[in-house]
Amino acid sequence: MVDQTRQFDRRTYLKLSGAAGITTVGLAGCLQDADDGDDDTADGGDDDENNEIVAGTAPGFEPFEMVIDGELVGFDIDLLEAVIDETEYELAGWQEIEFDGLIPSLENENIDVIAAAMTITEEREETIAFSDPYYSADQTVLVQTGGDVQPAELADLEGHNVGAQSGTTGEGIVEDELIGEGLIDEGDYDSYDNYVLAIEELERGTLDAIVIDEPVAESFADDRDVEIAFTFETGEEYGFGVRQGEDDLQQALSEGITAVRESSQYDDITREWFDE
């Protein structure tokens, strides 16, 4: 399932993305509810069209999802496609959405599954359901390479200007652990649509630090003038998001993850995107 033609130069990606932003693709969700009585077929679930699903993601989160030369690529892209190949579902296409718009798009049935390095949290599970976890990650703090701000723990960010991507667990940590604990004021926090924009601000020195998932931080640190100040354990796990009540799809994705892990595909995809 791994497409070896998808190898990419991360510096090229970071140069191409930047402030141009993310393009939204106008696909609509395709998954039909076999119990809703609206199917064109009398059996209410056997038609192939009922098994077509549209996936949503949020490019700008290297190496999980990004756009290179107009093509959507990344770990999540390859993994979901491999997982769906292990199920009776068919992937009809992808829709690119800002991260904090993914859950509303899922609820509105514009997409059927979220594949965007989304952490499984109790708060999100009040709204959507998740597959079994497919990746574990902690949080890190990124700073400018050789800059004056060199924190060793969250408390060292007191009084500094901190950024994160809107809707992420990184933003939640800023709100709870920094603003909530009085270490920084709300005006000291900058929220971004994607982390590429935050990285550019950090490199220019207009931002002191970024709270970001560890594997993404490592990828940026390899290619940009930023470095990891410290990492702190959060026990986060990523899962594919689906609508509550879509039990068949949820189970199929979980079983697909297991099948991909038990084969060589998961290791192949991991090596391609993380050089592991």
Side-chain angles (χ1 to χ4, degrees), residues 35-236:
D35 298 324
D36 65 7
D38 292 333
D39 294 334
D40 291 333
T41 56
D43 57 21
D46 293 334
D47 183 55
D48 289 342
E49 190 174 308
N50 291 340
N51 289 333
E52 290 186 348
I53 59 175
V54 172
T57 192
F61 206 62
E62 180 194 352
F64 289 92
E65 39 267 336
M66 70 280 290
V67 174
I68 305 294
D69 294 332
E71 182 183 7
L72 184 64
V73 297
F75 178 84
D76 280 339
I77 312 307
D78 285 351
L79 181 61
L80 182 65
E81 291 177 356
V83 166
I84 291 178
D85 275 354
E86 298 290 339
T87 74
E88 296 181 354
Y89 291 89
E90 295 182 6
L91 185 61
W94 288 86
Q95 188 172 132
E96 300 163 28
I97 306 166
E98 290 179 0
F99 189 84
D100 58 1
L102 286 168
I103 290 179
S105 293
L106 184 67
E107 292 182 295
N108 293 336
E109 301 187 8
N110 293 320
I111 58 175
D112 302 305
V113 58
I114 296 172
M118 182 170 282
T119 300
I120 302 170
T121 66
E122 291 183 359
E123 181 179 0
R124 286 173 178 153
E125 287 181 315
E126 293 176 359
T127 306
I128 66 174
F130 284 95
S131 68
D132 289 345
Y134 64 82
Y135 196 91
S136 299
D138 291 319
Q139 289 289 313
T140 64
V141 169
L142 273 180
V143 296
Q144 186 182 48
T145 302
D148 295 333
V149 179
Q150 294 293 329
E153 58 183 16
L154 287 175
D156 295 336
L157 293 173
E158 183 174 4
H160 289 292
N161 186 220
V162 181
Q165 180 171 303
S166 176
T168 63
T169 48
E171 180 175 67
I173 288 170
V174 172
E175 293 174 341
D176 296 339
E177 305 294 332
L178 297 179
I179 297 175
E181 295 297 323
L183 295 174
I184 66 173
D185 296 329
E186 289 187 8
D188 293 327
Y189 170 57
D190 291 321
S191 178
Y192 296 86
D193 289 338
N194 66 76
Y195 272 115
V196 175
L197 303 177
I199 291 294
E200 292 175 343
E201 294 292 319
L202 186 60
E203 287 184 304
R204 284 195 288 266
T206 56
L207 192 63
D208 294 326
I210 296 171
V211 182
I212 185 172
D213 297 48
E214 181 181 11
V216 185
E218 291 174 346
S219 192
F220 279 124
D222 286 343
D223 300 311
R224 302 294 288 261
D225 194 20
V226 298
E227 61 185 4
I228 296 174
F230 64 92
T231 298
F232 52 102
E233 186 174 340
T234 59
E236 292 181 46

Side-chain angles (χ1 to χ4, degrees), residues 254-267:
S254 295
E255 292 175 351
I257 291 170
T258 298
V260 170
R261 282 188 180 277
E262 291 177 349
S263 71
S264 64
Q265 294 181 86
Y266 188 89
D267 291 338

Side-chain angles (χ1 to χ4, degrees), residues 242-260:
V242 298
R243 284 183 291 277
Q244 291 184 347
E246 297 286 359
D247 298 340
D248 289 345
L249 177 58
Q250 182 184 21
Q251 181 177 349
L253 292 174
S254 295
E255 292 175 351
I257 291 170
T258 298
V260 170

